[in-house]
Amino acid sequence: MSVYAVSDMHGCLKAYQKIKEFIKPDDVVYCLGDCGDRGPEPWETIKAVATDPQFIYIKGNHEDMLVKAAKEVFMFEFDPYTHYQRILAANGGEDTLQQLLSEENLERWVNHLSKLPTHITYKNSKGQEVFLCHAGCTFWKDKEFTESLRIYRVFGNHNLDIENMIGGVAVCSINKLYNAIGTEPSDVA
């Protein structure tokens, strides 16, 4: 079994499909968030990752904005001038929200996305614990997150051997995966 990490697919369902072609049935992929918005198939990408048992989905800022915007719709109906709907639209998420709102199981999806973890600890084959999260965690508000940073010293520690993981910086992680599967980012988007 191999373990990979990827993030920031931003609505590129083809990137997800290329990853599926590359990995073996017993492999695991940690998805570090931001599956929707900006790309051509934002909601389909989120649904694919969220329902795939090979993927462990961590919430990114775009999933967080989507959940908050959907909850505003529940409270105020659709209004592009409410706070989170405006923020989501400014970050390329208007189509994602519209597609989510047309889902038959809308409340179930919002509930599922709101419960995605913001971080996970992965233990590699050498017993090293690696802290995985999407960029932008507010560690000063999250005691568990702050303690994890102190314990694992992930940031600035270049001695962690993460074996087959493709990860680290979000942009770097997907580019390394593209290199591994022999596809350029422009071929997938």
Side-chain angles (χ1 to χ4, degrees), residues 19-174:
I19 292 166
K20 289 296 288 182
E21 289 172 15
F22 175 75
I23 62 176
K24 295 178 179 76
D26 64 337
D27 290 345
V28 174
V29 178
Y30 285 89
C31 180
L32 307 182
D34 284 10
C35 288
D37 307 339
R38 299 182 182 157
E41 298 168 288
W43 180 241
E44 291 304 313
T45 306
I46 289 172
K47 286 188 346 184
V49 171
T51 58
D52 190 326
Q54 283 187 280
F55 278 69
I56 298 170
Y57 198 173
I58 298 171
K59 186 188 305 182
N61 59 307
H62 284 259
E63 286 84 7
D64 189 57
M65 287 186 287
L66 179 61
V67 166
K68 289 175 178 173
K71 287 180 178 180
E72 279 183 345
V73 171
F74 294 159
M75 292 171 49
F76 307 113
E77 298 192 11
F78 183 76
D79 179 354
Y81 299 104
T82 59
H83 181 71
Y84 286 107
Q85 290 176 57
R86 201 173 59 241
I87 290 172
L88 186 64
N91 283 281
E94 191 170 359
D95 289 342
T96 313
L97 179 61
Q98 291 296 332
Q99 292 166 15
L100 168 62
L101 294 175
S102 68
E103 275 293 325
E104 189 174 305
N105 298 310
L106 172 62
E107 288 185 44
R108 184 184 67 81
W109 275 109
V110 171
N111 187 45
H112 177 74
L113 293 173
S114 69
K115 291 181 179 179
L116 291 175
T118 57
H119 57 278
I120 293 177
T121 301
Y122 164 75
K123 187 179 273 190
N124 68 16
S125 62
K126 295 179 181 179
Q128 296 167 313
E129 292 182 319
V130 181
F131 189 86
L132 300 173
C133 67
H134 186 79
C137 286
T138 54
F139 58 88
W140 58 89
K141 293 182 181 179
D142 186 336
K143 183 174 172 49
E144 181 184 349
F145 180 86
T146 304
E147 291 303 315
S148 296
L149 285 179
R150 284 193 195 121
I151 294 167
Y152 307 124
R153 298 176 186 264
V154 171
F155 299 108
N157 185 345
H158 301 286
N159 297 321
L160 291 177
D161 179 5
I162 312 177
E163 57 190 335
N164 293 313
M165 289 202 67
I166 299 168
V169 178
V171 173
C172 177
S173 65
I174 197 161

